[in-house]
């Protein structure tokens, strides 16, 4: 959905030249306003959708107002929504998905299935699911929530003995069409447009295969002509064939003491560079005038063009992956020793077959050590410029040991156009997703960058600077809202536990009295035991809170299992569910109070939320002057936790 931001910028005069490298950069006349209006508008639309969602599920205006105000007066949500970010787009589509789910569920429960409105909201939900997933992969969490809710509804219909079995089949078929097939088709269409529109080369080309790069305008492989076969004497670049694999690379720097032999470093590098170029030579003589193709099973040497040293391995252990052997650059002016010899083994093992540029995958097996040249996937320390380690793996079945020739320069051979080898849509679709998954999982913090842990998020332990030092924006949640959200979350767990225990004891008593097993009905908005005259509304509020709690769990717990770098803003989807739960639980708990006390409490909550927003609004709108830890700072009295850094 970055294309939506680009489209809004294009329509409002943005020319596409400003790089948006880091927060706080001066715009210098760049027409950025349209993109900011777009993101802010989507962020603002979260509030009315949240209101209607809670109202639809609880039938309580007070619950809907409380939930909406919890979102409206949160300075953290305001900070995210006022900038050109993916987060407001993600939160908008996520909230819209829940809104559509609620509307279609209400129509189903009132017997309005198969009407135009019912179909509209069902397909609306499917569309929003596709949009959420297109924005960020965490959109899959809301797909999980809607899926669970759909299964629950189908189970309710299936258990209703007054309805024929075919009704369950029809409902299941309709939902599969609108919530599975339709979103998948939309997702594919969005990425088709994405790949057609974003068809130019960039600095991330190296993460993709040679074949993928051949379709990017401006890439050296686009509409390129080069020799089809690889012959001795060719200057080539060699790319690791795994997803996101880099180019075989070397430079003048040596491995440091304690990291194997102090010879020239060999790495993989994901950007195109002159240090990626290698000369292919026969293993036992110089390149002759006669053309000789590189064949399956040949023994070769690879000479690094820039440094004149040969690709080399020996019995020393690799610097990071200790069960592999070290790979270095060795020799002078192309002269080395027997440890520079490699056997080229084509993946398809065709005898008398020549190596071809771009399309042939091969292993480079060390002649002396009988190990395969591989990209271990491990990042080297700063002495290796944080490039990827290259090692030699004794396990010749290593899936990361496949390589292909990308650039192939040889004046002795005729060139052919490589366009015919450009992959189709489904190949590029699958590869782009594999690269995105791998890149997302491998994100590491930059030097000095502040990250956070999932346990810190719900308690609002630490925020995140968004810009500048003289005029500061600090992403932090409104503590009144965040901490009271936790209180209502705990209250929901406590109330639910009490109700489950009571229901269990009641069923046990009935069982003893009747000596028969009664069939239990799934929860509905009409409870078995009506506590007071508002029993139906209370049951709906508790049921709504249960679904919001499931939403909170599905958008929060998965981060505990993630190995990638995490930031504070990852919690905001879960925050929305927690705020919706707060409104539902407020309605449930306050109903036990006298009417005048309910009104007084409602007014007090609105007043406290408004006042807390006024207090903490400088975090979103901008602070200047001393930091809050200095006594003369205007924000000094608001530094309630020592971990807050504003």
């Amino acid at each position: 959905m970055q294309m939506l931001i680009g489209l809004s910028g294009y329509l409002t005069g943005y020319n596409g030249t400003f790089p948006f490298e880091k927060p706080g950069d001066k715009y210098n006349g760049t027409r950025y306003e349209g993109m900011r209006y777009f993101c802010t508008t989507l962020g603002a639309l979260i509030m009315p959708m949240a209101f209607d969602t809670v109202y639809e599920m609880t039938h309580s205006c007070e619950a809907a107002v409380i939930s909406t105000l919890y979102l409206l007066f949160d300075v953290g949500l305001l900070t995210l929504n006022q900038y050109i970010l993916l987060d407001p787009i993600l939160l908008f589509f996520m909230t819209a998905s829940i809104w559509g789910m609620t509307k279609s569920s209400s129509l189903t429960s009132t017997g309005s299935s198969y009407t135009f409105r019912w179909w509209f909201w069902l397909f609306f939900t499917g569309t929003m699911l596709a949009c959420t997933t297109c924005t960020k992969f965490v959109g899959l969490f809301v797909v999980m929530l809607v899926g669970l809710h759909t299964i629950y509804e189908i189970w309710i219909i299936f258990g209703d003995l007054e309805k024929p079995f075919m009704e369950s089949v029809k409902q299941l078929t309709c939902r599969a069409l609108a919530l599975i097939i339709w979103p998948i088709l939309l997702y594919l269409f969005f990425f088709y447009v994405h790949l057609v529109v974003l068809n130019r080369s960039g600095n991330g080309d190296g993460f993709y295969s040679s074949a993928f790069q051949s379709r990017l305008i401006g890439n050296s492989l686009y509409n390129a002509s080069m020799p089809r076969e690889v012959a001795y004497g060719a200057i080539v670049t060699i790319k690791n064939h795994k997803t996101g694999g880099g180019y075989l690379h070397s430079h003048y720097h040596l491995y440091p003491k304690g990291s194997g032999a102090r010879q020239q470093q060999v790495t993989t590098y994901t950007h195109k560079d002159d240090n990626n170029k290698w000369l292919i030579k026969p293993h036992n003589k110089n390149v002759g005038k006669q053309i000789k193709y590189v064949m399956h099973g040949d023994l070769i040497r690879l000479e690094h063009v820039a440094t004149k040293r040969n690709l080399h391995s020996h019995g020393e252990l690799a610097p990071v992956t200790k069960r592999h052997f070290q790979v270095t650059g060795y020799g002078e002016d192309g002269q080395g020793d027997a440890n520079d010899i490699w056997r080229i083994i084509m993946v398809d093992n065709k005898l008398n077959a020549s190596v071809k540029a771009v399309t042939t995958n091969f292993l480079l097996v060390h002649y002396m050590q009988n190990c395969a040249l591989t990209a271990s996937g491990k990042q080297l320390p700063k002495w290796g410029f944080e490039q990827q380690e290259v090692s030699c793996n004794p396990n010749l079945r290593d899936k990361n040991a496949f390589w292909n020739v990308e650039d192939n320069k040889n004046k002795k051979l005729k060139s052919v156009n490589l366009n015919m080898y450009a992959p189709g849509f489904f190949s590029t679709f699958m590869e782009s997703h594999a690269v995105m998954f791998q890149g997302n999982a491998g994100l590491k913090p930059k030097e000095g960058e502040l990250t956070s842990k999932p346990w810190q998020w719900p308690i609002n332990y630490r925020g995140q600077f968004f810009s500048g030092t003289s005029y500061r924006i600090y992403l932090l949640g409104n503590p009144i809202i965040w901490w009271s959200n936790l209180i209502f979350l705990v209250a929901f767990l406590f109330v639910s536990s009490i109700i489950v225990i009571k229901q269990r004891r009641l069923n046990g008593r009935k069982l003893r009295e009747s000596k028969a097993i009664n069939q239990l009905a799934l929860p509905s908005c009409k409870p078995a035991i009506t506590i007071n005259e508002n029993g139906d509304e209370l049951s709906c509020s508790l049921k709504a809170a249960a679904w919001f709690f499931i939403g909170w769990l599905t958008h929060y717990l998965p981060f505990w299992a993630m190995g990638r770098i995490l930031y504070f803003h990852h919690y905001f989807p879960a925050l929305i569910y927690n705020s919706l739960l707060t409104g539902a639980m407020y309605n449930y708990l306050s109903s036990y109070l006298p009417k005048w006390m309910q009104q007084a409490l409602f007014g007090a909550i609105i007043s406290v939320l408004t006042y807390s927003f006024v207090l903490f609004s400088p975090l979103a709108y901008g602070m200047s002057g001393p930091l809050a830890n200095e006594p003369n700072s205007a924000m000094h009295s608001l530094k309630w936790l020592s971990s807050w850094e504003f």
Side-chain angles (χ1 to χ4, degrees), residues 226-528:
M226 66 176 69
R228 182 76 180 103
E229 281 80 17
V230 178
Y232 289 102
I235 294 177
V236 299
T237 59
I238 301 175
K239 193 174 190 309
N240 190 262
H241 196 65
K242 73 172 183 178
T243 300
Y247 298 95
L248 188 64
H249 176 96
S250 189
H251 39 242
Y252 283 102
H253 298 82
L254 307 181
Y255 288 101
K257 186 176 180 180
S259 298
R262 296 209 68 207
Q263 297 174 7
Q264 186 169 295
Q265 296 175 16
V266 175
T267 65
T268 58
Y269 186 52
T270 52
H271 302 285
K272 301 206 173 188
D273 187 290
D274 284 341
N275 282 329
N276 301 339
K277 295 179 179 178
W278 300 83
L279 171 66
I280 299 184
K281 307 182 298 183
H283 77 285
N284 57 356
K285 59 183 178 181
N286 292 327
V287 178
K289 292 183 179 180
Q290 186 177 1
I291 296 173
K292 188 175 188 310
Y293 297 124
V294 179
M295 309 293 287
H296 170 68
D298 278 5
L299 296 176
I300 67 170
R301 294 179 192 260
L302 287 171
E303 179 186 323
H304 190 242
V305 173
T307 62
K308 303 295 182 184
R309 287 177 174 158
N310 295 330
L311 185 70
H312 176 99
S313 187
H314 44 226
E316 295 277 354
L317 298 181
V320 180
T321 310
K322 295 301 182 183
R323 59 185 186 277
H324 294 184
F325 296 121
Q326 183 187 30
V327 175
T328 68
Y330 179 77
E332 296 290 338
D333 293 325
Q335 301 299 315
D337 61 20
N339 280 324
D340 303 341
I341 301 175
W342 301 82
R343 186 183 299 278
I344 191 161
I345 305 293
M346 293 168 57
V347 172
D348 53 17
N349 285 314
K350 288 183 179 178
L351 297 176
N352 301 319
S354 63
V355 176
K356 295 177 173 56
V358 178
T359 57
T360 299
N361 298 328
F362 55 83
L363 296 170
L364 287 170
V365 179
H366 194 258
Y367 182 65
M368 303 294 288
Q369 301 294 336
N370 195 36
C371 56
L373 186 76
T374 186
S376 69
K378 304 291 179 61
Q379 190 176 55
L380 293 172
K382 291 190 181 298
W383 55 255
F385 307 97
E386 298 182 340
Q387 295 173 10
Q388 298 292 310
E389 178 191 43
V390 169
S391 58
C392 202
N393 189 354
N395 178 11
L396 302 186
R397 296 181 179 180
D398 185 353
K399 63 181 180 181
N400 295 331
F402 300 127
W403 304 82
N404 69 272
V405 170
E406 182 168 293
D407 291 307
N408 178 28
K409 295 182 180 179
N410 194 327
K411 295 180 180 179
K412 299 178 184 178
L413 297 177
K414 292 182 179 180
S415 297
V416 297
N417 193 287
L418 297 180
N419 266 5
M420 67 182 71
Y421 304 109
F425 166 68
F426 282 103
S427 295
T428 54
F429 173 84
M430 296 303 294
E431 182 175 348
S432 64
H433 278 68
V435 170
M436 285 189 290
F437 273 118
Q438 186 178 64
N440 189 59
L443 287 175
K444 304 293 182 186
K446 300 173 185 176
E447 187 175 1
E449 188 176 24
L450 193 64
T451 62
S452 61
K453 303 292 183 183
W455 69 264
Q456 299 173 342
W457 302 341
I459 61 175
N460 209 22
Y461 180 77
R462 178 185 284 123
Q464 181 180 340
F465 267 113
F466 256 48
S467 64
T469 54
S470 57
Y471 195 75
R472 306 180 302 279
I473 304 293
Y474 189 72
L475 178 65
L476 185 74
N478 183 330
I480 300 298
I481 288 174
W482 285 52
W483 295 341
S484 60
N485 264 341
L486 283 183
I487 293 172
F488 280 104
L489 195 69
V490 172
F492 165 75
L493 293 175
F494 178 76
V495 169
S496 299
S497 300
I498 295 297
I499 289 177
V500 168
I501 292 171
K502 282 187 174 182
Q503 191 71 28
R504 177 62 180 165
R505 290 181 65 83
L506 177 63
N507 290 335
R509 188 174 65 188
K510 287 183 177 180
L511 182 62
R512 288 192 302 271
E513 291 175 354
S514 62
K515 294 183 180 181
I517 299 176
N518 293 322
Q519 196 171 26
L520 298 179
L522 286 168
S524 68
C525 285
K526 293 185 178 181

Side-chain angles (χ1 to χ4, degrees), residues 585-599:
M585 283 307 298
Y586 162 81
N587 186 61
Y588 180 85
L589 296 173
S590 65
S591 64
Y592 291 95
L593 301 175
K595 198 67 177 177
W596 68 269
M597 195 175 291
Q598 291 182 30
Q599 295 171 348

Side-chain angles (χ1 to χ4, degrees), residues 217-233:
I217 299 171
N219 189 281
S220 60
L221 293 176
Y222 178 75
N223 206 22
S225 293
M226 66 176 69
R228 182 76 180 103
E229 281 80 17
V230 178
Y232 289 102

